[in-house]
Amino acid sequence: MALLETIGLVKRFGGLTAVDHLDLQVNEGEICGLIGPNGSGKTTVLNVITGIYKNDGGKVIFNGKEIHILTPHEICEHGIARTFQNIRVLGSQTVYDNVRLGLHIQTKSDLFNIIFNTKQVREENERIRKIIEEALDIVGLRKEKNEITKNLPYGKQKVLEIARAIVAKPKLLLLDEPAAGLNTAETENLMEIVRNIRKRGISILLIEHEMAFVGGLTDKVYVINYGKKIAEGTFNEIKKNPSVIQVYLGTKGDE
Amino acid sequence: MGKIFDTIKNNILIVIALLLALIPVIGVPSYQFYIIERGLQNAIIVISLVILLGYTGQLSLGHAGLLATGAYTYGILVVSYNVNPWIAFLIAPIFTALIGALLGIPSFKLTGPFLVVTTIALGEIVRILILNWEKLTGGPYGLTGITSIISNSKLMFYLILIIVYFISVATSRLSVSKIGLAFKAIKEDEVAAEVMGVDVKRYKLLAFTISSFLAGLSGAIFASLTGYLNPDSFTFADSATFLLMTVLGGMSSVPGAILSSLAVTALPEILRFMARSRMVIYSLVLLLIIRYSKQLSSVKISKFFLKKKNKEDLVVGGGE
Amino acid sequence: MSLATLIQLIFQGLNMGLIYALAALGISLIWNASGLFNFSQGDLLTIGGYIMLTFFSFLSLPYPVAFLITIVIMGIAGYLLSKGYFYPMFQQNFNPQIILIGTVALSVFIRNSVLLTWGPNAKTYTNPFGSKPLALFGVNLMPHYFWNIVIVAVLVLALQMFLKGTVIGIAMRAVAQKPVAASLMGVKVGQMISLTFLLSTGLAAISGILIAPIIPLTPEMGGLLAIKAFAAALIGGLGSFGGALVGGIIIGIAEVFFATLVTSTYKDVFIFAVLIAFLMIRPGGIFRADISEKV
Ligand SMILES: Nc1ncnc2c1ncn2[C@@H]1O[C@H](COP(=O)(O)OP(=O)(O)O)[C@@H](O)[C@H]1O
Ligand SMILES: [Mg+2]
């Protein structure tokens, strides 16, 4: 059984059908790619999976549960974390606190314990400190731990968002154009980070335009256009698919 | 390292508290003494706005209504129902917190001016109800003969001081906690907060509830200090003043909130020599402070505390 | 309810409603131009009323002259307020919440200034349109009902023509709709925002003048009126010209009917409750529904 499955997923904005009866499957341990031209509905798929938008039809099943009826924070609790195409970090907080936000659901301190700064709170702070530092090591931001986030360069803010997502201990990680805006060295580094995350047993669904990135990482790729699936298979298979070449690779012309 | 900064931070609050604790000892004239008490009582409602506005980013212009709720709850219980003042003092903030939770519900859907207008409207509704529910509240004639929690004025002062101190420490701890971080995440990016597992509605409700509890507490102390309540003390202008005190204190600094409450409460009294024009001068000063808040921030006391606090934030995360 | 009372109430409600509408229009104009919600609009209305009192009643100038002088003074004040106070804060990228709080501080400042200048007691002046009701259709209607309707109608048409038909008006709307594009095309954004403030305070002043025959002037009158104007702007749809008018009229008429049919004591509570309910159900108002964010 797939870890994540969308069945006949539909999302409309007014007259526009942004996601059109889409069937996707992400299996445990897999890295799946979701590609398609700009405006084809990729981000909308992630927004529906994470509950930011309510779907207008179909189902999202995660770990055997229907999650399209849940709110975003409940979906997070079920084990899905994500990053955003336009980074959404807390600019005026420190790098450390941004990652700490990812630990929200695992932090148990309540108002009473916090106000009286009980042993429970102090021990928990110590425990999460280790987790945060480990995550910062994975993405290479240990040195920037105490910096105010908005002062970091774009590339570092992007991987910070990944660190924030993985401390939530998700079963599935959704990445929306993680390599966009990164230079070659940063992209290489990012591929390494993504492989590393998979090794930790986290499955990944990623949206990306950078074909080397998709080719180098994914086990399976879905291609969508106008919200409809037009192909699926390994990267090498879909690369040869004529309809894909026509709508996507053809127009991009960079493969 | 963390411990050291922690101590420094707590020391700032302790220093303020100790200086204030000297006041009854040196013997300040009774009116000035009263003003300082009022300043501390205002500090509580300003801290309540620090939590709501400074941390969570929710702007309320209805806090005078919450102050009134706390004050009248205390007053009515004590005067009309002969409830023991201490018990009334406990009930008032709890009841206000319940009312305030209602104030939080619109924040699920509304932001910016939409929410602010809602809070103004709710504050006015409270005031109009007080004004017209004469049997219970005394209406425009006010509610008189409210007994204080403690009749000895020096002991009362120390009670207020201890409450303010405790609230300050608790709020600072809240600020660096999981809850404080969730509040700040909501302020900066609700979508990111929600996606990272923060139940945004629940936390907004929590922020409004905590804030209202403190506003109600401030109200009960107000009733206890003045012994007399009148709807004119709880207008939009009062809500505005609390907001301005919060801004002046740096929005998210607890020591800043205390100092600005004391300063702004005393300002009209310091300007007393200007007689009738003092309120104009006072509001003009507030206007100018807002206009030059960016330039002022380099020298502003509040900024000093904010910097401290930020460092502290980092350190709770564990110093190297 | 007899037909006569019905007509009477509709006229009364329409009158208050148009006054709310003018103030709401000012709020919407500034909101469009700068994204600022002006919480001092009610107090600008108050001070307009008092300036009118000074010129018309104390200095005994003819009504139209006093009317014009008041609008000019208030317009200039609004322009300077933007130039000297609000626009610099936009330019220096202040936290929008702080600028909003600036309008709150302004409201407190105006209230105290009015109190200092004109004293705390309620002030009225002789109704320039006469206080003898006209008997029409068997109903007693005050002459200012008609005058107010005519004045507001003329004003709204003139404003529409100005915004749609003149170079400055078009530039102002361009700034409101696409500030970056407008500034690239050479429109002086700061100037246009300041002109919007001028229009907005002018509108507030006119509401303050027109309200005088209906309710007496007091330094705090702006408080309640402001919330009604906010309600009008929000229910109509913040930023919508027609919305402000429709919203104002709805509030005015709802208020008068509630006061007469239910109780006048809680008419304000009723209006505020309607506002809150409306915002919860349709936060975008009648004419502009989209305040959601794209992720
Ligand atoms: N919140 C929204 N409201 C209206 N239309 C939207 C919204 N979000 C996305 N769309 C539209 O849906 C389509 C798909 O957008 P998106 O999912 O962002 O595409 P992609 O991520 O593949 O570039 C686009 O036409 C876009 O304009
Ligand atoms: Mg996208």
Side-chain angles (χ1 to χ4, degrees):
Chain A
M1 190 188 57
L3 177 66
L4 175 84
E5 187 170 12
T6 71
I7 305 170
L9 196 64
V10 176
K11 175 67 197 170
R12 296 192 190 90
F13 295 111
L16 174 92
T17 306
V19 180
D20 199 352
H21 295 90
L22 188 67
D23 301 324
L24 295 180
Q25 287 196 352
V26 181
N27 293 315
E28 200 124 1
E30 256 179 3
I31 299 184
C32 283
L34 179 60
I35 65 174
N38 271 323
S40 57
K42 304 179 298 290
T43 299
T44 305
V45 171
L46 293 205
N47 284 340
V48 173
I49 292 174
T50 50
I52 293 173
Y53 294 149
K54 277 270 146 298
N55 59 331
D56 297 306
K59 288 178 178 176
V60 183
I61 296 168
F62 180 71
N63 227 359
K65 272 213 184 71
E66 295 195 356
I67 58 164
H68 54 271
I69 47 171
L70 303 178
T71 58
H73 71 266
E74 288 166 341
I75 292 171
C76 172
E77 281 169 25
H78 276 77
I80 299 183
R82 69 172 289 183
T83 65
F84 293 89
Q85 183 174 351
N86 311 303
I87 340 173
R88 301 188 85 126
V89 289
L90 311 178
S92 59
Q93 304 300 323
T94 60
V95 168
Y96 184 91
D97 277 347
N98 265 284
V99 183
R100 188 156 67 99
L101 181 63
L103 283 157
H104 179 84
I105 47 175
Q106 290 168 51
T107 317
K108 298 293 172 236
S109 310
D110 59 11
L111 190 58
F112 178 86
N113 281 302
I114 288 166
I115 287 178
F116 293 100
N117 195 24
T118 60
K119 194 156 169 250
Q120 184 265 335
V121 170
R122 281 175 276 133
E123 281 174 1
E124 186 163 70
N125 283 344
E126 190 54 32
R127 187 172 64 78
I128 64 176
R129 202 199 75 200
K130 293 201 183 99
I131 301 175
I132 294 170
E133 287 175 351
E134 195 194 351
L136 287 173
D137 280 338
I138 294 176
V139 298
L141 281 178
R142 179 73 172 257
K143 275 212 312 285
E144 288 85 352
K145 183 170 86 170
N146 290 342
E147 295 207 15
I148 298 297
T149 304
K150 63 176 170 226
N151 300 335
L152 295 187
Y154 182 81
K156 288 188 173 173
Q157 294 192 23
K158 282 205 100 151
V159 292
L160 171 59
E161 220 185 14
I162 295 179
R164 178 175 76 184
I166 57 175
V167 293
K169 289 222 182 88
K171 296 189 193 73
L172 175 68
L173 176 63
L174 311 175
L175 301 172
D176 197 347
E177 302 199 13
L182 303 191
N183 61 33
T184 324
E186 285 173 328
T187 306
E188 297 271 306
N189 178 35
L190 181 67
M191 284 177 81
E192 212 34 58
I193 293 173
V194 173
R195 285 197 192 100
N196 225 322
I197 292 170
R198 190 235 298 255
K199 274 192 211 128
R200 303 170 150 257
I202 299 174
S203 314
I204 294 168
L205 174 64
L206 71 86
I207 296 174
E208 193 42 71
H209 285 300
E210 186 60 54
M211 283 308 140
F213 195 86
V214 178
L217 283 171
T218 55
D219 305 309
K220 183 167 73 188
V221 179
Y222 291 95
V223 189
I224 63 173
N225 194 24
Y226 296 110
K228 284 197 180 78
K229 182 163 76 183
I230 56 167
E232 70 175 281
T234 65
F235 183 70
N236 285 325
E237 285 163 12
I238 60 115
K239 223 163 65 169
K240 296 183 203 113
N241 184 318
S243 52
V244 175
I245 294 169
Q246 198 198 335
V247 310
Y248 187 73
L249 299 174
T251 54
K252 286 277 285 183
D254 58 1
E255 262 298 307
Chain B
M1 279 298 275
K3 288 252 167 55
I4 296 174
F5 275 112
D6 234 357
T7 343
I8 291 175
K9 166 86 175 311
N10 284 339
N11 278 349
I12 287 163
L13 285 172
I14 289 173
V15 168
I16 297 174
L18 286 180
L19 285 177
L20 286 166
L22 287 177
I23 284 168
V25 182
I26 37 178
V28 174
S30 68
Y31 188 69
Q32 276 82 338
F33 186 70
Y34 170 74
I35 292 301
I36 296 170
E37 284 182 313
R38 289 295 315 283
L40 285 172
Q41 171 253 316
N42 282 333
I44 298 175
I45 197 164
V46 174
I47 291 175
S48 88
L49 284 170
V50 164
I51 294 171
L52 194 61
L53 174 64
Y55 298 169
T56 324
Q58 311 293 304
L59 213 166
S60 160
L61 268 171
H63 262 51
L66 295 173
L67 186 75
T69 308
Y72 273 92
T73 306
Y74 176 82
I76 291 166
L77 286 177
V78 169
V79 173
S80 314
Y81 296 94
N82 277 318
V83 173
N84 178 303
W86 284 99
I87 294 174
F89 190 66
L90 210 68
I91 295 175
I94 294 174
F95 181 67
T96 313
L98 292 176
I99 300 290
L102 287 179
L103 196 71
I105 293 172
S107 74
F108 295 172
K109 252 191 135 163
L110 305 175
T111 55
F114 299 90
L115 180 62
V116 182
V117 170
T118 311
T119 63
I120 298 178
L122 284 168
E124 278 298 304
I125 289 176
V126 171
R127 197 179 61 83
I128 295 168
L129 288 179
I130 290 173
L131 195 62
N132 291 297
W133 204 340
E134 231 175 280
K135 261 206 212 118
L136 199 64
T137 63
Y141 312 107
L143 190 67
T144 50
I146 304 167
T147 34
S148 182
I149 320 164
I150 306 177
S151 52
N152 180 314
S153 75
K154 281 189 184 172
L155 284 182
M156 180 67 189
F157 182 92
Y158 284 117
L159 175 69
I160 300 174
L161 190 59
I162 289 168
I163 291 175
V164 172
Y165 181 74
F166 176 74
I167 290 172
S168 305
V169 172
T171 306
S172 308
R173 286 175 179 164
L174 184 74
S175 166
V176 296
S177 73
K178 166 198 184 180
I179 298 176
L181 183 62
F183 285 169
K184 291 170 196 170
I186 289 172
K187 176 182 179 172
E188 251 184 88
D189 190 335
E190 278 188 28
V191 173
E194 180 81 30
V195 163
M196 290 326 298
V198 177
D199 186 344
V200 170
K201 285 183 182 173
R202 192 170 145 242
Y203 276 85
K204 278 185 178 173
L205 208 55
L206 182 64
F208 272 96
T209 308
I210 296 175
S211 181
S212 311
F213 180 91
L214 295 178
L217 185 64
S218 179
I221 296 175
F222 176 83
S224 197
L225 282 176
T226 57
Y228 167 73
L229 295 175
N230 171 311
D232 290 346
S233 315
F234 307 102
T235 60
F236 168 79
D238 295 285
S239 291
T241 308
F242 300 139
L243 200 58
L244 296 169
M245 290 176 181
T246 315
V247 173
L248 177 60
M251 292 241 283
S252 53
S253 154
V254 172
I258 297 173
L259 294 183
S260 97
S261 306
L262 287 169
V264 176
T265 310
L267 192 59
E269 309 308 322
I270 296 167
L271 295 174
R272 195 156 272 277
F273 67 95
M274 288 193 270
R276 290 213 311 139
S277 58
R278 72 196 165 97
M279 289 310 288
V280 175
I281 304 288
Y282 158 77
S283 39
L284 187 63
V285 169
L286 295 178
L287 265 177
L288 291 175
I289 286 172
I290 290 175
R291 171 66 186 81
Y292 295 103
S293 56
K294 271 213 165 153
Q295 287 87 333
L296 280 173
S297 61
S298 47
V299 288
K300 203 164 51 179
I301 30 169
S302 61
K303 195 69 179 183
F304 170 74
F305 292 114
L306 274 183
K307 275 193 191 131
K308 273 265 144 58
K309 195 176 73 70
N310 273 340
K311 273 189 203 143
E312 218 268 333
D313 273 358
L314 313 185
V315 169
V316 169
E320 292 280 347
Chain C
M1 188 179 8
S2 72
L3 186 64
T5 340
L6 190 69
I7 295 176
Q8 172 85 28
L9 291 183
I10 288 178
F11 265 94
Q12 261 179 21
L14 192 61
N15 250 265
M16 279 317 287
L18 289 175
I19 289 168
Y20 299 147
L22 282 190
L25 206 51
I27 291 171
S28 272
L29 283 174
I30 293 186
W31 170 262
N32 275 349
S34 65
L36 178 66
F37 193 97
N38 182 10
F39 279 99
S40 64
Q41 186 75 348
D43 301 281
L44 290 166
L45 180 159
T46 311
I47 203 166
Y50 274 95
I51 293 174
M52 183 65 184
L53 170 82
T54 309
F55 285 103
F56 179 62
S57 189
F58 297 170
L59 301 178
S60 309
L61 293 181
Y63 190 78
V65 177
F67 197 116
L68 268 180
I69 294 180
T70 305
I71 298 174
V72 169
I73 291 179
M74 287 297 291
I76 293 174
Y79 181 85
L80 294 177
L81 207 55
S82 168
K83 277 256 134 151
Y85 195 78
F86 290 109
Y87 187 65
M89 292 202 276
F90 294 134
Q91 265 186 320
Q92 292 166 29
N93 281 322
F94 271 57
N95 170 353
Q97 265 179 341
I98 300 273
I99 309 181
L100 195 124
I101 295 170
T103 72
V104 174
L106 179 64
S107 147
V108 178
F109 173 70
I110 296 176
R111 224 170 272 193
N112 285 320
S113 307
V114 169
L115 185 67
L116 177 70
T117 317
W118 286 282
N121 297 332
K123 298 260 192 312
T124 50
Y125 49 84
T126 39
N127 191 337
F129 307 114
S131 37
K132 212 172 123 240
L134 309 167
L136 279 175
F137 329 110
V139 192
N140 285 336
L141 298 172
M142 299 297 291
H144 64 248
Y145 289 178
F146 300 100
W147 279 103
N148 283 0
I149 293 171
V150 170
I151 292 172
V152 174
V154 170
L155 209 72
V156 165
L157 285 177
L159 201 59
Q160 274 288 4
M161 276 158 62
F162 170 75
L163 288 175
K164 296 233 160 103
T166 66
V167 177
I168 295 185
I170 290 168
M172 284 168 76
R173 285 180 35 227
V175 167
Q177 280 150 14
K178 297 202 166 85
V180 179
S183 87
L184 288 176
M185 285 165 64
V187 177
K188 292 199 178 96
V189 174
Q191 195 70 1
M192 292 307 135
I193 290 182
S194 299
L195 284 176
T196 311
F197 267 81
L198 181 152
L199 280 186
S200 173
T201 45
L203 286 169
I206 297 170
S207 335
I209 296 171
L210 297 185
I211 206 169
I214 307 175
I215 56 175
L217 299 172
T218 58
E220 296 87 25
M221 68 188 281
L224 277 181
L225 290 174
I227 312 179
K228 308 276 176 62
F230 301 159
L234 295 178
I235 287 181
L238 190 53
S240 152
F241 196 102
L245 288 176
V246 173
I249 292 169
I250 290 177
I251 299 280
I253 289 183
E255 173 180 66
V256 168
F257 272 82
F258 186 87
T260 313
L261 299 178
V262 189
T263 158
S264 68
T265 315
Y266 292 111
K267 70 176 190 329
D268 296 330
V269 172
F270 169 70
I271 294 298
F272 300 159
V274 168
L275 167 67
I276 294 169
F278 200 96
L279 285 178
M280 293 299 288
I281 296 162
R282 195 179 164 87
I286 299 173
F287 286 98
R288 186 186 269 195
D290 192 21
I291 57 165
S292 64
E293 183 195 11
K294 205 182 158 200
V295 181

